[in-house]
């Protein structure tokens, strides 16, 4: 195993099933998207699994809990992270997982409830 590679088990949340084991060279965070076997998944949760070796716990692998998703077309960079939708709207959730409560499926550019954030 290479020093920057991370053994990862990808688990689909519903219906619960393992999609397999992969080796990643990046640390996936909730809200990131992962392409696996021609499909795109949204990362919902990440769990670390450790093993005791020589009196020390060492990271053995990571479990990613994912759901099937499509990459959002609209995204905005806010404080160094990408959020779904137009972050200049008052109703935007500023989240990697949900756009807003009023128009969660989007798109933002034709939303009749759009209201700009007051500065």
């Amino acid at each position: 195993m290479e020093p920057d590679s991370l053994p990862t088990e990808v688990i689909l949340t519903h219906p619960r099933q393992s999609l397999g084991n992969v080796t990643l060279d990046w640390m996936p965070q909730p809200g990131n998207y992962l392409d696996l076997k021609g499909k795109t998944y949204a990362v919902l949760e990440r769990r670390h699994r450790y093993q005791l070796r020589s009196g020390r716990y060492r990271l053995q692998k990571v479990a990613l809990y994912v759901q099937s998703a499509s990459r959002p077309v609209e995204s905005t960079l806010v404080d160094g992270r990408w959020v779904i939708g137009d972050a200049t709207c008052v109703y935007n959730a500023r989240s990697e997982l949900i756009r807003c409560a009023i128009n969660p499926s989007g798109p933002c550019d034709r939303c009749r409830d759009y209201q700009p954030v007051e500065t």
Side-chain angles (χ1 to χ4, degrees):
M1 180 171 68
E2 298 172 17
D4 292 336
S5 62
L6 185 63
T8 305
E9 181 181 10
V10 181
I11 303 166
L12 187 63
T13 56
H14 186 73
R16 175 140 313 177
Q17 66 180 13
S18 177
L19 297 176
N21 293 307
V22 295
T23 303
L24 300 176
D25 60 354
W26 60 289
M27 184 66 78
Q29 300 289 332
N32 290 143
Y33 291 89
L34 176 70
D35 294 320
L36 183 66
K37 299 177 185 174
K39 294 186 179 180
T40 301
Y41 299 95
V43 177
L44 302 177
E45 185 178 350
R46 182 182 74 199
R47 293 184 186 171
H48 297 162
R49 298 196 176 153
Y50 294 90
Q51 184 175 29
L52 182 63
R53 288 188 196 163
S54 304
R56 295 182 61 193
Y57 283 100
R58 297 178 190 233
L59 182 61
Q60 181 185 12
K61 71 177 182 177
V62 170
L64 290 181
Y65 291 85
V66 300
Q67 75 179 14
S68 184
S70 59
R71 290 185 186 267
V73 177
E74 299 173 303
S75 57
T76 308
L77 187 63
V78 176
D79 297 328
R81 62 187 177 90
W82 289 98
V83 299
I84 298 175
D86 185 357
T88 63
C89 178
V90 170
Y91 299 113
N92 186 277
R94 287 154 186 79
S95 166
E96 299 94 346
L97 300 174
I98 187 169
R99 179 188 313 268
C100 72
I102 295 174
N103 187 14
S105 60
C108 291
D109 63 350
R110 293 184 300 272
C111 180
R112 61 187 169 110
D113 296 306
Y114 174 83
Q115 292 184 11
V117 176
E118 296 180 19
T119 56

